[in-house]
Amino acid sequence: DGASVVLAKGQGNLETLFPPPREVFFLLTVKCRAVARHLELDVGASVLLRDAGRAGEQEPGPRGVT
């Protein structure tokens, strides 16, 4: 609760924490087609995503930078 930044590393954390209860940055390599479709990225892409969480505004479309 006291952390100013939460960084979740790995696709498994994205799958487990999505949608997150608070703002989270996800750092991962896309490893499967289902996640690639959801993020509108290619399998193998490395990405840093920001998700505002349930309390924040969700941005439309992909939120990552490859």
Side-chain angles (χ1 to χ4, degrees), residues 4-23:
S4 58
V5 175
V6 176
L7 177 63
K9 180 183 162 284
Q11 182 176 307
N13 282 314
L14 175 72
E15 294 168 357
T16 302
L17 295 172
F18 193 83
R22 60 171 285 183
E23 181 179 49

Side-chain angles (χ1 to χ4, degrees), residues 2-65:
S4 58
V5 175
V6 176
L7 177 63
K9 180 183 162 284
Q11 182 176 307
N13 282 314
L14 175 72
E15 294 168 357
T16 302
L17 295 172
F18 193 83
R22 60 171 285 183
E23 181 179 49
V24 174
F25 290 86
F26 294 97
L27 178 64
L28 64 120
T29 299
V30 178
K31 295 182 179 178
C32 71
R33 291 190 314 246
V35 172
R37 275 192 307 270
H38 178 75
L39 299 176
E40 299 179 15
L41 296 170
D42 294 327
V43 172
S46 295
V47 63
L48 174 64
L49 304 170
R50 175 194 165 266
D51 195 302
R54 294 183 193 118
E57 296 280 328
Q58 293 290 339
E59 300 171 15
R63 294 176 297 278
V65 177

